[in-house]
Amino acid sequence: MAAKKMKKQADVDRRWSWMVSAVLAAFLMTVAPLAVVLGWRNVGAPAVWIDTAVAGLRQGSNGLSFLDRRTTRYDRLLGGLLNDGFDFESCHSRYQSAMYRRNAGRRPSSYLISKLRRHEALQRRCGPGTAVYSNALEQLKFGKSVALPECRYIVSISYRGLGNRILAAASAFLYAVLTDRVLLIDPSNEMGQLFCEPFPNTTWLLPPGFPLTDYTNFSIDTAESYGNMLKNKVIGTTAAADVSPAQVPAFAYVHLDHDASIHDKCFYWDEDQGLLRHIQWLVMRTDQYIVPGLFLAHAFQEELDLLFPEPDTVFHHLGRYLFHPNNHVWGLVTRYYDAYLAAAQHRVGIQVRVFGAQPNSPELLEQITTCTQKEKLLPEVLTSGEPILSAPSVKTKALLVTSLKSWYYENIKSMYWEHATATGEAVSVHQPSHEEFQRFGAKSHDTKAWAEIYLLSLTDALVTTAWSTFGYVAQGLGGLRPWVMYKPANDTQVPDPPCGRDVSMEPCFLKAPGYDSRLNRWVDITKIVPHVQRCGDAGWGVKLVGRNE
């Protein structure tokens, strides 16, 4: 079998080699006579043109040649992160994404890889369609609790913008891995239509017929929320180690949204995890990246250290494992990338978030240009004098702008169209879409958003807007430590400095816990775990950083 695969790969290599050679030969036969017709007044020019054109034909995505991009054995399994048990036609992006990302990404630990394979087995053994799952649904339907359930579950509610939904699902998944729970994602808000299935031979989507029919409407006021049950003394944690079924509810709703109460945030402490592990069904709502909070529980810390020896890679690994664009979205990504970004020698992404009903802002435009030029991400332009004549071998940069507004893109594009650059670099500016305002729940809107997030993750350098989950997802998937444009104190001045390099590629947990109800006092959670530190774009939030930061 291995010999047949090697022979098939060799045949593919020979065919591509022949095709490239034929294209190059035809090109040279066309260019050489043209050089004679034009004469030899610039005797060195034809050779330069030929060398540049040949390099252009060979130059492909990610710094690989036209031939190498298709025949090199790129790491399609991302260092073992992905399972090889999927049909390629069901999800092209799963095994093609590595071809498009110049930054191959940080390597996952062997422990994480083995843990993912074990979790996939758990999802198959206990997930939808199994007898165990049907039995667990019956228990939930009749409000029965089980002392030692064979399988336990967590349902992640999907709501708010796409960035929030992705971060919420990743957070729920890590919690599921840490507590051996089956993850089920609420399929509403396009979660069942934008992504490929991450687990082989099963589904991560919650099927129809879930007994808690109003679960998507659960809120901070829901009586069955863990915080409310604690506050009202319906449950307690004192006997968590030796709890009986009569003391355990059939399910608990975990409210970890931006407005979570002090009691809701008890979820992050050890005593509460001791009780939660006995509850068979958990339903979680969050619009946050709560992962840094999971590092606060001592019960999880040893396991997290084994899973992520580099703690600033959690979302990078989990995001690339879980979130694969479906074939339609992947088509949008690859067609746009190949048409507008692939030929550039350097790609810069800028994610512009306009808060609220903010109009087109000259101050924000100045912040963008000042940041990118000060940090040498984009060249400055000449406002007067003779333009620099570009040589055939000029360095090219492609700028990808993502924003609901087109005004910023149009102004940046005009700037580089109307003025030469001080370095002689050629800058092309591109924006895939401009929806003008966010449309929650609109399929076409979410499809474009997901494609643009992914395109941003394929750039070589990234500039993001503070507090943006859209940017957080892109930087994590791409393994990029972005330059963050700080939110100004008011809308009429440009911050000084306009931006700064983020301390890690991890998303920020904007609404982290700060009050320990057991100790009845406020605590500085950055003193609990050294690699949980304050966010650069939101000083009240926390994020994971490298161990040596």
Side-chain angles (χ1 to χ4, degrees):
M1 182 65 70
K4 288 183 179 179
K5 287 185 177 180
M6 291 177 64
K7 183 178 183 301
K8 184 175 180 181
Q9 183 65 45
D11 290 341
V12 171
D13 292 353
R14 282 194 295 272
R15 285 196 295 271
W16 277 112
S17 180
W18 179 86
M19 288 175 64
V20 172
S21 298
V23 171
L24 293 177
F27 177 80
L28 294 175
M29 290 174 66
T30 302
V31 171
L34 180 61
V36 175
V37 172
L38 293 175
W40 298 100
R41 286 171 294 180
N42 296 312
V43 67
V48 172
W49 293 342
I50 292 171
D51 289 344
T52 304
V54 169
L57 279 174
R58 287 191 173 274
Q59 182 68 37
S61 170
N62 310 327
L64 297 176
S65 73
F66 178 78
L67 176 60
D68 289 343
R69 178 177 166 191
R70 291 157 175 82
T71 59
T72 299
R73 286 186 174 274
Y74 59 89
D75 184 13
R76 69 191 189 102
L77 298 181
L78 308 181
L81 194 67
L82 304 184
N83 190 309
D84 201 17
F86 287 87
D87 173 33
F88 169 76
E89 290 302 324
S90 68
C91 185
H92 297 165
S93 66
R94 187 188 311 279
Y95 299 135
Q96 286 184 340
S97 61
M99 289 195 299
Y100 284 84
R101 184 162 285 125
R102 178 175 293 172
N103 173 10
R106 309 265 280 276
R107 305 287 293 184
S109 70
S110 58
Y111 188 79
L112 174 60
I113 293 169
S114 64
K115 188 76 172 183
L116 290 174
R117 300 294 89 84
R118 292 198 297 273
H119 191 83
E120 290 164 357
L122 173 67
Q123 294 276 154
R124 290 192 296 271
R125 186 175 72 252
C126 299
T130 64
V132 178
Y133 178 76
S134 297
N135 184 57
L137 284 182
E138 284 297 306
Q139 299 284 347
L140 177 61
K141 181 179 179 180
F142 292 105
K144 295 181 180 179
S145 57
V146 182
L148 296 172
E150 182 177 352
C151 299
R152 293 173 299 162
Y153 303 85
I154 181 167
V155 177
S156 177
I157 299 173
S158 304
Y159 93 120
R160 286 193 177 270
L162 181 60
N164 300 88
R165 282 175 264 156
I166 289 175
L167 295 179
S171 300
F173 175 64
L174 179 57
Y175 184 71
V177 168
L178 291 171
T179 57
D180 295 320
R181 289 181 179 272
V182 171
L183 172 67
L184 296 170
I185 298 292
D186 168 31
S188 62
N189 291 316
E190 312 303 328
M191 292 299 286
Q193 301 178 49
L194 297 174
F195 308 98
C196 302
E197 292 278 0
F199 309 128
N201 303 314
T202 187
T203 181
W204 70 333
L205 298 175
L206 181 69
F210 189 55
L212 307 177
T213 55
D214 62 340
Y215 73 96
T216 57
N217 294 320
F218 286 174
S219 70
I220 192 171
D221 298 320
T222 298
E224 293 85 358
S225 78
Y226 183 71
N228 284 332
M229 288 193 288
L230 276 182
K231 183 174 67 174
N232 298 327
K233 295 183 170 41
V234 175
I235 56 175
T237 59
T238 53
D242 187 30
V243 69
S244 68
Q247 297 173 286
V248 178
F251 81 96
Y253 163 57
V254 182
H255 185 80
L256 300 176
D257 217 7
H258 63 281
D259 62 346
S261 69
I262 290 173
H263 289 94
D264 291 320
K265 291 181 180 180
C266 287
F267 170 87
Y268 299 106
W269 308 119
D270 276 317
E271 296 89 342
D272 300 270
Q273 286 301 323
L275 177 60
L276 285 165
R277 72 169 178 262
H278 291 281
I279 303 175
Q280 187 172 23
W281 287 91
L282 297 181
V283 178
M284 178 185 290
R285 179 191 295 277
T286 184
D287 55 359
Q288 304 282 305
Y289 180 67
I290 68 167
V291 165
L294 300 179
F295 278 73
L296 303 178
H298 293 289
F300 297 149
Q301 287 176 5
E302 182 177 355
E303 181 80 352
L304 286 167
D305 287 345
L306 291 172
L307 291 168
F308 305 103
E310 300 176 294
D312 58 334
T313 64
V314 175
F315 184 75
H316 182 55
H317 294 320
L318 297 186
R320 292 182 306 148
Y321 173 78
L322 285 173
F323 305 111
H324 306 284
N326 67 12
N327 287 348
H328 173 62
V329 177
W330 187 238
L332 298 179
V333 171
T334 55
R335 286 192 296 273
Y336 198 90
Y337 185 95
D338 289 337
Y340 300 108
L341 306 178
Q345 293 165 302
H346 190 73
R347 291 169 283 276
V348 178
I350 298 181
Q351 178 261 329
V352 183
R353 177 179 178 180
V354 179
F355 289 88
Q358 181 179 335
N360 301 331
S361 168
E363 291 78 18
L364 179 53
L365 178 63
E366 182 182 348
Q367 183 178 8
I368 293 168
T369 56
T370 304
C371 170
T372 53
Q373 293 175 6
K374 180 181 178 182
E375 300 297 338
K376 309 299 183 185
L377 301 176
L378 293 174
E380 296 183 25
V381 297
L382 298 174
T383 57
S384 62
E386 291 295 322
I388 294 178
L389 298 177
S390 298
S393 58
V394 66
K395 186 175 182 180
T396 59
K397 286 194 173 187
L399 173 60
L400 176 71
V401 179
T402 64
S403 176
L404 292 174
K405 304 284 187 178
S406 63
W407 186 82
Y408 300 94
Y409 153 76
E410 290 167 354
N411 277 272
I412 297 171
K413 183 178 181 180
S414 294
M415 179 178 70
Y416 284 110
W417 166 253
E418 296 172 5
H419 303 281
T421 62
T423 60
E425 294 173 287
V427 179
S428 61
V429 187
H430 313 279
Q431 181 176 7
S433 71
H434 48 89
E435 298 282 282
E436 297 305 320
F437 58 91
Q438 190 161 359
R439 305 175 187 183
F440 292 105
K443 182 177 180 180
S444 63
H445 181 83
D446 285 342
T447 297
K448 293 173 185 176
W450 182 211
E452 292 187 8
I453 287 174
Y454 212 93
L455 282 166
L456 283 175
S457 79
L458 301 179
T459 57
D460 303 306
L462 183 61
V463 178
T464 61
T465 305
W467 312 356
S468 174
T469 57
F470 193 102
Y472 291 161
V473 174
Q475 70 194 45
L477 290 177
L480 300 165
R481 191 158 62 93
W483 282 264
V484 181
M485 293 189 293
Y486 302 124
K487 194 173 188 300
N490 59 63
D491 295 333
T492 60
Q493 68 179 97
V494 177
D496 185 18
C499 64
R501 194 77 186 270
D502 208 339
V503 293
S504 80
M505 59 184 168
E506 275 286 295
C508 180
F509 181 12
L510 293 170
K511 295 289 185 177
Y515 186 82
D516 189 335
S517 60
R518 308 300 174 199
L519 300 177
N520 198 30
R521 63 181 175 86
W522 292 94
V523 295
D524 182 354
I525 60 176
T526 64
K527 304 299 183 185
I528 298 175
V529 182
H531 41 272
V532 174
Q533 297 298 319
R534 294 295 172 191
C535 304
D537 61 330
W540 58 89
V542 296
K543 71 186 308 177
L544 294 166
V545 301
R547 294 188 185 278
N548 297 322
E549 296 293 333

